[in-house]
Structures are given as C-alpha cells and as structure tokens.
Amino acid sequence: MRRQPGRIDVHHHAVPAFYRRLLEERGLRPGGVAVPDWTPEKSLRVMDRNDIATSILSVSTPGAWLGDERQARHLARRLNEFCAAVIDDNQSRFGFFATLTLPDVEGAIAEAEHSLDALGADGIVLLSSAAGRYVYDPAFEPLLAYLHDRQAVVFLHPGELPAEPAPGIPSFTADFLLETVRAATGLALSGAMEKYDGIRWILAHAGGFLPYVSHRILLTMIRGEHRLSQAKAMVDRKRETKRRLDLLRRFYFDVALSSTPTALASLTAFADPTRLLYGSDFPFAPSPAVRFMRQEYEDTALDADLRAAIDRRNAQTLFARLGEEPR
C-alpha cells in the first residue's frame, strides 16, 4: 500500500546560530525560555520521527526589531536569506515565512517585496505587537495594504506581552495566548480584517483562547454598534450572531501546542474546518514535547477527513506550491 504523504507543519521555527548568539548576548529569552540550539538537520530528524513532510520556517519573537532601525533591516535580510538557503538545500522539506522590520514600516514593505519576489518566501510572519504597537495599529496600514494587494499569507505569532511577566510563569504559558487574542480581536474590531481581506491570516497556537472567548468578542462588536443594529441582533439572534462570528472564522488556526482533547474540542466547535492547520512549534517545543503533543493529537477522536485536512490538505490549498503530491 502506498504510504500517504506526511504532515505540513506551518509552525516550525528557525533559530540560526548567529541569531541565537545575538539574543543570548542581549540576555533575551523568547517566551521566557532559553534560546534553543537549532539546525536544519535537527528539524529534519524531528520531522521524520513525527510524520512531517514539510515545515514552513519562521523566526519567533523578538524577530528582527531590537530597537534600532538600521540593525533591524540588516538582521531581517540576513534571517530571510538564511531561510531561503535552507530551502534551496531541501526543496521539498522546507518553506519559510519572511521576517520583517516593524515598527519600521518602510523597511517592512521593502523586505516583504524582496522576500516574496527574490527569495521565494511562502508568506510573512508578523508578531502580535512591535515596540508596543499592535499589528492593527493605524501606522501599520501601509504594510497591511501591501500584503492585501499581494494576497499574502501572514503567520501571526505572539510577541512578548507589553507588561512584566507574572512571577514563576514563563510568558509562553499564558501571556503568548493573550497576545494572540489581543492582536486578532483588534484586527476584527478595527475593520482591518474586512478592509484588507486579501491577507490570509494564520493564528498561532489555535488562536490562543480566541475560540473560547469568541462570544465575548461578539458582544464587544455589538456594544459598539448603533441601537438599531443592536436591536436587530436581539430579534434575529442566530443569524446576526453567525454573521458577526463569520468574520473571526476567516482566520486560519494552527494546532501547535494545542493539539489536545480539550483545546481541539473548543477549536473545532468554532473554526471553519477548512482553515485548521498542523503545527509543532519546534524547537521551542523540544523534541519530547513535539512527540507528546503529536501523540495527544493522534489520541484525540477526530473525523478521519478532518484529520487529513488538518495534517495536509488545508495547507496544500493555502500554499500553491505544496499542492502537488510528491512522486
């Protein structure tokens, strides 16, 4: 029997040695953990052990912005050229989301154009916030307009919450989830989701807890509307609720660190099943954690067709170059 092609992992981080050294020199601990020692070869070993055919690489927080515009432009270019070289060496196994320079908007647009056109990036990675400004900030609209025109896939990854972490709790545990919810909610409430609807947004970690609080976001939408619209929402509750929640269902969601019976129950009850994607979060999730979460995922009762969609089919639709089955 022919073995089915493996999973497509849309949440898989690249940590080049030069970037790791830079973060360590600055005393930075992304997500409150040590910067992992990573190589493409380590990714390939984890991928082979967990039935992952292709991984889309991205750089996690803090990205390229460390407080200096010139350095950010240099660093983003170096990171993107590194990822492009990894793909050149492993055409069928890797893709990448390009790192940009926000809050430097001019540099971000230039780097997005270079990465998409010259380097063959599969999309863009944006952090939930940059220098205290969330991705839906009006100052970032020129970038969103550009990405809309390009019909770009944008992987929205949490950055550090702009507040002191709670003692004893790494920021990846809970703060990251809140950051994603803040950014995604802001995109919906600000009108950016509709204005720039050419962008295809992927939310990391099952959208944080966005599916769970979707009706709170719905109530926030209604609260800001005029009274006639509010009255209509009460009279035709089911239809009006669906109409508003459908805006949030435009997001894609990866299942990185969220592929468990409880998280998947909330996610699959809310999300469009054609917009669910597999993710591992390697190497910030080390190899044993990837295996553990993969086993939790495989033990969770899911319809076979839905599992096939999450594992591969939905990503093939999103990334045209992955649409053809390997020979």
Side-chain angles (χ1 to χ4, degrees):
M1 178 181 291
R2 180 177 177 271
R3 189 170 180 270
Q4 292 298 310
R7 300 180 172 106
I8 296 172
D9 181 357
V10 303
H11 191 147
H12 197 111
H13 294 301
V15 191
F18 68 84
Y19 186 64
R20 180 184 181 221
R21 288 193 298 270
L22 177 61
L23 297 188
E24 290 177 339
E25 288 168 3
R26 298 290 186 100
L28 297 174
R29 292 170 58 85
V33 301
V35 185
D37 183 9
W38 173 87
T39 64
E41 292 72 26
K42 290 183 178 181
S43 277
L44 288 169
R45 286 197 292 272
V46 167
M47 290 162 63
D48 289 343
R49 292 169 185 163
N50 293 278
D51 194 26
I52 297 170
T54 304
S55 290
I56 312 296
L57 300 175
S58 59
V59 173
S60 185
T61 184
W65 181 262
L66 300 177
D68 179 84
E69 180 180 297
R70 183 176 178 182
Q71 180 197 43
R73 293 187 182 195
H74 173 76
L75 183 56
R77 180 62 54 88
R78 191 176 179 190
L79 288 166
N80 292 330
E81 289 182 343
F82 175 92
C83 289
V86 172
I87 296 174
D88 286 343
D89 293 339
N90 302 271
Q91 284 284 342
S92 67
R93 302 304 304 273
F94 292 110
F96 85 101
F97 294 121
T99 298
L100 304 187
T101 61
L102 288 183
D104 168 21
V105 176
E106 182 180 344
I109 294 173
E111 190 59 32
E113 182 175 21
H114 176 76
S115 296
L116 293 170
D117 292 338
L119 300 182
D122 294 281
I124 302 296
V125 56
L126 293 180
L127 298 179
S128 50
S129 61
R133 292 181 174 182
Y134 281 91
V135 70
Y136 58 90
D137 190 292
F140 297 160
E141 285 205 45
L143 174 63
L144 298 187
Y146 174 80
L147 297 175
H148 163 80
D149 290 341
R150 294 298 303 264
Q151 301 283 294
V153 177
V154 176
F155 176 44
L156 184 64
H157 192 280
E160 300 293 344
L161 190 70
E164 289 298 317
I169 305 175
S171 54
F172 86 87
T173 307
D175 293 352
F176 266 18
L177 308 183
L178 175 56
E179 268 291 281
T180 299
V181 172
R182 282 183 170 189
T185 302
L187 287 169
L189 296 180
S190 68
M193 278 284 288
E194 293 179 294
K195 186 175 182 180
Y196 305 112
D197 61 357
I199 300 174
R200 291 164 291 171
W201 297 93
I202 301 173
L203 302 185
H205 312 119
F209 47 86
L210 184 140
Y212 183 81
V213 298
S214 57
H215 279 69
R216 281 179 175 253
I217 300 170
L218 165 74
L219 291 175
T220 308
M221 292 176 179
I222 295 174
R223 184 174 181 270
E225 296 172 359
H226 55 74
R227 290 188 177 182
L228 182 60
S229 181
Q230 292 174 343
K232 186 177 180 182
M234 294 300 295
V235 171
D236 196 357
R237 179 177 58 83
K238 290 186 177 181
R239 180 177 178 179
E240 291 298 307
T241 294
K242 180 182 182 301
R243 182 176 67 82
R244 290 170 176 82
L245 291 182
D246 278 349
L247 179 64
L248 300 178
R249 293 191 178 100
R250 294 183 191 176
F251 286 115
Y252 288 79
F253 300 83
D254 77 46
V255 300
L257 299 184
S258 309
S259 53
T260 61
T262 50
L264 285 173
S266 178
L267 179 62
T268 57
F270 170 77
D272 179 342
T274 69
R275 297 188 176 219
L276 303 180
L277 305 163
Y278 188 80
S280 71
D281 215 336
F282 184 77
F284 286 94
S287 180
V290 173
R291 182 177 68 251
F292 173 81
M293 295 302 289
R294 187 258 301 164
Q295 290 171 334
E296 289 288 297
Y297 170 65
E298 291 175 346
D299 288 345
T300 300
L302 288 177
D303 175 82
D305 187 66
L306 176 59
R307 190 180 297 278
I310 296 171
D311 283 347
R312 187 172 182 88
R313 191 172 67 239
N314 290 344
Q316 286 181 299
T317 301
L318 193 58
F319 302 102
R321 74 176 186 87
L322 302 179
E324 295 183 1
E325 302 290 357
R327 295 180 181 178

